[in-house]
mmCIF file of all heavy atoms in Angstrom:
data_model
loop_
_atom_site.group_PDB
_atom_site.id
_atom_site.type_symbol
_atom_site.label_atom_id
_atom_site.label_comp_id
_atom_site.label_asym_id
_atom_site.label_seq_id
_atom_site.Cartn_x
_atom_site.Cartn_y
_atom_site.Cartn_z
ATOM 1 N N ALA A 1 2.555 14.221 -14.973
ATOM 2 C CA ALA A 1 1.538 13.895 -15.881
ATOM 3 C C ALA A 1 1.004 12.477 -15.643
ATOM 4 O O ALA A 1 -0.168 12.230 -15.915
ATOM 5 C CB ALA A 1 2.153 13.961 -17.310
ATOM 6 N N THR A 2 1.872 11.585 -15.160
ATOM 7 C CA THR A 2 1.431 10.126 -15.068
ATOM 8 C C THR A 2 1.293 9.718 -13.635
ATOM 9 O O THR A 2 0.718 8.654 -13.377
ATOM 10 C CB THR A 2 2.417 9.228 -15.726
ATOM 11 O OG1 THR A 2 3.735 9.261 -15.079
ATOM 12 C CG2 THR A 2 2.652 9.699 -17.188
ATOM 13 N N GLY A 3 1.825 10.401 -12.630
ATOM 14 C CA GLY A 3 1.828 10.006 -11.249
ATOM 15 C C GLY A 3 2.867 9.028 -10.919
ATOM 16 O O GLY A 3 2.944 8.623 -9.772
ATOM 17 N N VAL A 4 3.771 8.664 -11.843
ATOM 18 C CA VAL A 4 4.815 7.644 -11.661
ATOM 19 C C VAL A 4 6.094 8.298 -12.126
ATOM 20 O O VAL A 4 6.181 8.777 -13.196
ATOM 21 C CB VAL A 4 4.460 6.385 -12.486
ATOM 22 C CG1 VAL A 4 5.582 5.353 -12.256
ATOM 23 C CG2 VAL A 4 3.189 5.758 -11.919
ATOM 24 N N PRO A 5 7.143 8.214 -11.248
ATOM 25 C CA PRO A 5 8.439 8.762 -11.728
ATOM 26 C C PRO A 5 9.067 7.782 -12.777
ATOM 27 O O PRO A 5 8.601 6.726 -13.012
ATOM 28 C CB PRO A 5 9.252 8.722 -10.416
ATOM 29 C CG PRO A 5 8.649 7.664 -9.599
ATOM 30 C CD PRO A 5 7.173 7.728 -9.866
ATOM 31 N N VAL A 6 10.110 8.349 -13.431
ATOM 32 C CA VAL A 6 10.737 7.618 -14.498
ATOM 33 C C VAL A 6 11.201 6.240 -14.047
ATOM 34 O O VAL A 6 11.076 5.262 -14.730
ATOM 35 C CB VAL A 6 11.955 8.390 -15.026
ATOM 36 C CG1 VAL A 6 12.742 7.594 -16.072
ATOM 37 C CG2 VAL A 6 11.410 9.719 -15.784
ATOM 38 N N ALA A 7 11.818 6.174 -12.829
ATOM 39 C CA ALA A 7 12.249 4.835 -12.284
ATOM 40 C C ALA A 7 11.046 3.889 -12.142
ATOM 41 O O ALA A 7 11.204 2.699 -12.362
ATOM 42 C CB ALA A 7 12.979 5.082 -10.985
ATOM 43 N N GLY A 8 9.874 4.479 -11.824
ATOM 44 C CA GLY A 8 8.673 3.548 -11.638
ATOM 45 C C GLY A 8 8.283 3.058 -13.035
ATOM 46 O O GLY A 8 7.790 1.900 -13.136
ATOM 47 N N TRP A 9 8.464 3.861 -14.059
ATOM 48 C CA TRP A 9 8.152 3.342 -15.433
ATOM 49 C C TRP A 9 9.131 2.265 -15.801
ATOM 50 O O TRP A 9 8.769 1.341 -16.523
ATOM 51 C CB TRP A 9 8.168 4.466 -16.409
ATOM 52 C CG TRP A 9 6.953 5.367 -16.408
ATOM 53 C CD1 TRP A 9 6.808 6.585 -15.807
ATOM 54 C CD2 TRP A 9 5.680 5.048 -16.907
ATOM 55 N NE1 TRP A 9 5.598 7.021 -16.035
ATOM 56 C CE2 TRP A 9 4.792 6.144 -16.675
ATOM 57 C CE3 TRP A 9 5.169 3.922 -17.611
ATOM 58 C CZ2 TRP A 9 3.470 6.134 -17.018
ATOM 59 C CZ3 TRP A 9 3.844 3.968 -18.009
ATOM 60 C CH2 TRP A 9 3.000 5.028 -17.689
ATOM 61 N N GLY A 10 10.370 2.394 -15.401
ATOM 62 C CA GLY A 10 11.298 1.323 -15.645
ATOM 63 C C GLY A 10 10.922 0.020 -14.920
ATOM 64 O O GLY A 10 11.041 -1.041 -15.516
ATOM 65 N N LEU A 11 10.428 0.192 -13.720
ATOM 66 C CA LEU A 11 9.964 -1.021 -12.978
ATOM 67 C C LEU A 11 8.743 -1.634 -13.687
ATOM 68 O O LEU A 11 8.642 -2.862 -13.701
ATOM 69 C CB LEU A 11 9.658 -0.632 -11.565
ATOM 70 C CG LEU A 11 9.117 -1.739 -10.620
ATOM 71 C CD1 LEU A 11 10.043 -2.902 -10.642
ATOM 72 C CD2 LEU A 11 8.910 -1.169 -9.188
ATOM 73 N N ALA A 12 7.803 -0.779 -14.143
ATOM 74 C CA ALA A 12 6.603 -1.269 -14.808
ATOM 75 C C ALA A 12 6.996 -2.038 -16.077
ATOM 76 O O ALA A 12 6.495 -3.138 -16.382
ATOM 77 C CB ALA A 12 5.688 -0.117 -15.169
ATOM 78 N N TRP A 13 7.971 -1.570 -16.887
ATOM 79 C CA TRP A 13 8.411 -2.304 -18.103
ATOM 80 C C TRP A 13 9.096 -3.536 -17.666
ATOM 81 O O TRP A 13 8.840 -4.620 -18.272
ATOM 82 C CB TRP A 13 9.397 -1.383 -18.875
ATOM 83 C CG TRP A 13 9.819 -2.139 -20.132
ATOM 84 C CD1 TRP A 13 9.237 -2.058 -21.357
ATOM 85 C CD2 TRP A 13 10.902 -2.941 -20.253
ATOM 86 N NE1 TRP A 13 9.858 -2.873 -22.227
ATOM 87 C CE2 TRP A 13 10.932 -3.462 -21.647
ATOM 88 C CE3 TRP A 13 11.890 -3.448 -19.426
ATOM 89 C CZ2 TRP A 13 11.929 -4.281 -22.069
ATOM 90 C CZ3 TRP A 13 12.836 -4.361 -19.863
ATOM 91 C CH2 TRP A 13 12.885 -4.770 -21.237
ATOM 92 N N GLY A 14 9.915 -3.559 -16.661
ATOM 93 C CA GLY A 14 10.567 -4.760 -16.185
ATOM 94 C C GLY A 14 9.609 -5.838 -15.796
ATOM 95 O O GLY A 14 9.766 -6.962 -16.123
ATOM 96 N N LEU A 15 8.529 -5.448 -15.051
ATOM 97 C CA LEU A 15 7.594 -6.416 -14.600
ATOM 98 C C LEU A 15 6.759 -6.968 -15.837
ATOM 99 O O LEU A 15 6.434 -8.169 -15.885
ATOM 100 C CB LEU A 15 6.589 -5.824 -13.571
ATOM 101 C CG LEU A 15 7.181 -5.398 -12.221
ATOM 102 C CD1 LEU A 15 6.153 -4.739 -11.370
ATOM 103 C CD2 LEU A 15 7.731 -6.728 -11.536
ATOM 104 N N THR A 16 6.458 -6.146 -16.788
ATOM 105 C CA THR A 16 5.740 -6.503 -17.964
ATOM 106 C C THR A 16 6.521 -7.520 -18.757
ATOM 107 O O THR A 16 6.083 -8.586 -19.150
ATOM 108 C CB THR A 16 5.381 -5.291 -18.871
ATOM 109 O OG1 THR A 16 4.561 -4.384 -18.110
ATOM 110 C CG2 THR A 16 4.695 -5.719 -20.139
ATOM 111 N N ALA A 17 7.876 -7.172 -19.008
ATOM 112 C CA ALA A 17 8.754 -8.070 -19.810
ATOM 113 C C ALA A 17 8.920 -9.337 -19.012
ATOM 114 O O ALA A 17 8.987 -10.463 -19.667
ATOM 115 C CB ALA A 17 10.016 -7.292 -20.025
ATOM 116 N N LEU A 18 9.045 -9.293 -17.721
ATOM 117 C CA LEU A 18 9.246 -10.529 -16.928
ATOM 118 C C LEU A 18 8.096 -11.448 -17.016
ATOM 119 O O LEU A 18 8.222 -12.674 -17.198
ATOM 120 C CB LEU A 18 9.515 -10.162 -15.507
ATOM 121 C CG LEU A 18 9.646 -11.259 -14.504
ATOM 122 C CD1 LEU A 18 10.839 -12.177 -14.852
ATOM 123 C CD2 LEU A 18 9.771 -10.738 -13.071
ATOM 124 N N LEU A 19 6.899 -10.894 -16.907
ATOM 125 C CA LEU A 19 5.665 -11.776 -16.925
ATOM 126 C C LEU A 19 5.572 -12.412 -18.330
ATOM 127 O O LEU A 19 5.264 -13.607 -18.457
ATOM 128 C CB LEU A 19 4.463 -10.955 -16.633
ATOM 129 C CG LEU A 19 3.129 -11.744 -16.683
ATOM 130 C CD1 LEU A 19 3.099 -12.866 -15.663
ATOM 131 C CD2 LEU A 19 1.967 -10.788 -16.349
ATOM 132 N N LEU A 20 5.737 -11.628 -19.391
ATOM 133 C CA LEU A 20 5.570 -12.175 -20.765
ATOM 134 C C LEU A 20 6.641 -13.246 -20.978
ATOM 135 O O LEU A 20 6.379 -14.370 -21.548
ATOM 136 C CB LEU A 20 5.786 -11.058 -21.758
ATOM 137 C CG LEU A 20 4.660 -9.998 -21.779
ATOM 138 C CD1 LEU A 20 5.043 -8.898 -22.773
ATOM 139 C CD2 LEU A 20 3.309 -10.646 -22.180
ATOM 140 N N ALA A 21 7.903 -12.959 -20.581
ATOM 141 C CA ALA A 21 8.945 -13.918 -20.858
ATOM 142 C C ALA A 21 8.815 -15.231 -20.030
ATOM 143 O O ALA A 21 9.064 -16.284 -20.480
ATOM 144 C CB ALA A 21 10.353 -13.295 -20.544
ATOM 145 N N LEU A 22 8.281 -15.007 -18.871
ATOM 146 C CA LEU A 22 8.039 -16.230 -17.970
ATOM 147 C C LEU A 22 7.008 -17.158 -18.476
ATOM 148 O O LEU A 22 7.140 -18.306 -18.546
ATOM 149 C CB LEU A 22 7.746 -15.728 -16.507
ATOM 150 C CG LEU A 22 7.773 -16.826 -15.452
ATOM 151 C CD1 LEU A 22 9.063 -17.505 -15.328
ATOM 152 C CD2 LEU A 22 7.366 -16.183 -14.121
ATOM 153 N N VAL A 23 5.867 -16.538 -18.952
ATOM 154 C CA VAL A 23 4.788 -17.243 -19.505
ATOM 155 C C VAL A 23 5.286 -17.920 -20.805
ATOM 156 O O VAL A 23 4.975 -19.140 -21.001
ATOM 157 C CB VAL A 23 3.575 -16.418 -19.759
ATOM 158 C CG1 VAL A 23 2.511 -17.146 -20.565
ATOM 159 C CG2 VAL A 23 2.941 -15.850 -18.488
ATOM 160 N N ALA A 24 6.047 -17.305 -21.634
ATOM 161 C CA ALA A 24 6.506 -17.842 -22.902
ATOM 162 C C ALA A 24 7.457 -19.055 -22.580
ATOM 163 O O ALA A 24 7.437 -20.024 -23.258
ATOM 164 C CB ALA A 24 7.196 -16.820 -23.744
ATOM 165 N N LEU A 25 8.305 -18.904 -21.532
ATOM 166 C CA LEU A 25 9.235 -20.025 -21.225
ATOM 167 C C LEU A 25 8.471 -21.187 -20.712
ATOM 168 O O LEU A 25 8.797 -22.308 -21.084
ATOM 169 C CB LEU A 25 10.182 -19.426 -20.135
ATOM 170 C CG LEU A 25 11.164 -20.523 -19.518
ATOM 171 C CD1 LEU A 25 12.040 -21.104 -20.620
ATOM 172 C CD2 LEU A 25 11.981 -19.945 -18.378
ATOM 173 N N ILE A 26 7.484 -21.004 -19.779
ATOM 174 C CA ILE A 26 6.701 -22.084 -19.331
ATOM 175 C C ILE A 26 5.927 -22.810 -20.420
ATOM 176 O O ILE A 26 5.946 -24.034 -20.502
ATOM 177 C CB ILE A 26 5.777 -21.669 -18.156
ATOM 178 C CG1 ILE A 26 6.549 -21.130 -16.972
ATOM 179 C CG2 ILE A 26 4.780 -22.783 -17.805
ATOM 180 C CD1 ILE A 26 5.654 -20.487 -15.977
ATOM 181 N N SER A 27 5.345 -21.992 -21.296
ATOM 182 C CA SER A 27 4.594 -22.640 -22.492
ATOM 183 C C SER A 27 5.583 -23.443 -23.398
ATOM 184 O O SER A 27 5.187 -24.440 -23.949
ATOM 185 C CB SER A 27 3.864 -21.530 -23.217
ATOM 186 O OG SER A 27 4.749 -20.690 -23.899
ATOM 187 N N SER A 28 6.755 -22.914 -23.572
ATOM 188 C CA SER A 28 7.752 -23.630 -24.407
ATOM 189 C C SER A 28 8.128 -24.932 -23.797
ATOM 190 O O SER A 28 8.269 -25.941 -24.482
ATOM 191 C CB SER A 28 8.916 -22.685 -24.723
ATOM 192 O OG SER A 28 9.933 -23.365 -25.512
ATOM 193 N N VAL A 29 8.423 -24.946 -22.560
ATOM 194 C CA VAL A 29 8.801 -26.134 -21.860
ATOM 195 C C VAL A 29 7.661 -27.177 -21.831
ATOM 196 O O VAL A 29 7.918 -28.367 -22.061
ATOM 197 C CB VAL A 29 9.241 -25.811 -20.418
ATOM 198 C CG1 VAL A 29 9.471 -27.082 -19.570
ATOM 199 C CG2 VAL A 29 10.577 -25.018 -20.396
ATOM 200 N N ARG A 30 6.434 -26.723 -21.655
ATOM 201 C CA ARG A 30 5.368 -27.590 -21.590
ATOM 202 C C ARG A 30 4.744 -27.955 -22.971
ATOM 203 O O ARG A 30 3.840 -28.705 -23.108
ATOM 204 C CB ARG A 30 4.212 -27.012 -20.750
ATOM 205 C CG ARG A 30 4.623 -26.899 -19.266
ATOM 206 C CD ARG A 30 3.478 -26.328 -18.462
ATOM 207 N NE ARG A 30 3.750 -26.309 -17.083
ATOM 208 C CZ ARG A 30 2.889 -25.834 -16.111
ATOM 209 N NH1 ARG A 30 1.733 -25.463 -16.467
ATOM 210 N NH2 ARG A 30 3.282 -25.857 -14.850
ATOM 211 N N ARG A 31 5.277 -27.349 -24.066
ATOM 212 C CA ARG A 31 4.821 -27.575 -25.403
ATOM 213 C C ARG A 31 3.347 -27.178 -25.570
ATOM 214 O O ARG A 31 2.612 -27.793 -26.310
ATOM 215 C CB ARG A 31 4.996 -29.049 -25.798
ATOM 216 C CG ARG A 31 6.397 -29.542 -25.844
ATOM 217 C CD ARG A 31 7.140 -28.781 -26.973
ATOM 218 N NE ARG A 31 8.568 -29.172 -27.010
ATOM 219 C CZ ARG A 31 9.518 -28.524 -26.363
ATOM 220 N NH1 ARG A 31 9.230 -27.476 -25.671
ATOM 221 N NH2 ARG A 31 10.806 -28.933 -26.454
#
């Protein structure tokens, strides 16, 4: 249905969460 296997969806979520957390961390450190 999606063209991406379940493991690929896990990778997509991991990259999404990583980018959001990384930007939030940098913004917190820089105030």
Side-chain angles (χ1 to χ4, degrees):
T2 67
V4 177
V6 172
W9 282 103
L11 178 55
W13 182 89
L15 292 177
T16 298
L18 175 62
L19 180 60
L20 294 174
L22 189 59
V23 171
L25 175 61
I26 294 174
S27 67
S28 180
V29 171
R30 294 182 175 180
R31 297 294 178 266

